[in-house]
Amino acid sequence: LYMNGVIDRDKSVSMGTQGLKSRYYVKFSCPFVQKRLFNYFSGKIFNQMGRLYEPFDDLDDAVTKQGLNIENIIRRYHEYLMKNREWSLKNAPRRSDMRIYEAVFHFNLYMYLAEFLQDKGGEVFPEFPTGNGQVDIIIKYGGRIYGLELKSYKDKNSYNKALIQAARYGEQLKVEEIFLVFFIENIDDENRKKYEVDWFDEKTGIKVIVIFVETENSGTDT
């Protein structure tokens, strides 16, 4: 499979208790296969999403004929995640320390967006390859393209790098703004105010809109 270009080798480096630790992975190199696998695992893990919002909830702050307010949609997703986390993630794959794999939340957001917009004329699909090892989501609605880059927050250095990467991705999409969504277990109001700010990249002319999504709920399900 490797010799015929079906699969490729990938490497990640992380800091462990005994210093740098390298892990090797096998990945499918074909973007089409990557998309099909992403769709498969998203549906496999989250075949039931439950109620995305209340029946009488006014969605005018999120969806209009003119366009989408991605920030408000992501806020609604966070509310949904906190409200339904216990049952929706009950059988989610977990690491050896019993914490849920970060990729699971990427699948969850993708499924939420797909179901949220399916009856509103929107299209949602993952984008591969991204060139930075992370998942990107493309939304098409009302003749406009919205790009979301998904990251797991690690530290300030990776945060700054992610801003630049997102701006470059926005330039590739030929959009004026790009949404950078960080998943983090918890974030206080002070750090949210400090880091959840728009950033303008002078080199590309792209505005990066940063949004943090908390994945923990009052310390439960650790």
Side-chain angles (χ1 to χ4, degrees), residues 80-137:
Y80 162 86
L81 179 62
M82 292 298 99
K83 184 177 181 179
N84 300 279
R85 189 182 192 282
E86 185 174 350
W87 71 266
S88 66
L89 300 177
K90 182 179 180 180
N91 299 317
R94 297 172 183 267
R95 308 180 313 199
S96 58
D97 61 2
M98 296 308 296
R99 290 189 178 275
I100 297 171
Y101 281 105
E102 295 169 346
V104 170
F105 297 105
H106 295 191
F107 292 138
N108 188 254
L109 174 58
Y110 167 73
M111 290 299 293
Y112 178 88
L113 293 172
E115 291 202 13
F116 186 91
L117 294 170
Q118 69 176 352
D119 61 344
K120 302 173 181 60
E123 297 179 84
V124 183
F125 53 91
E127 178 70 7
F128 294 98
T130 64
N132 56 31
Q134 297 293 334
V135 176
D136 297 324
I137 291 179

Side-chain angles (χ1 to χ4, degrees), residues 5 10 25 27 31 39 43 47 51 53 59 72 82 85 90 96 100 104 111 115 137 160 216:
D10 200 2
Y25 301 87
K27 68 176 183 180
N39 283 324
N47 58 347
R51 180 176 291 174
Y53 50 85
L59 302 179
N72 285 339
M82 292 298 99
R85 189 182 192 282
K90 182 179 180 180
S96 58
I100 297 171
V104 170
M111 290 299 293
E115 291 202 13
I137 291 179
N160 292 330
E216 292 296 319

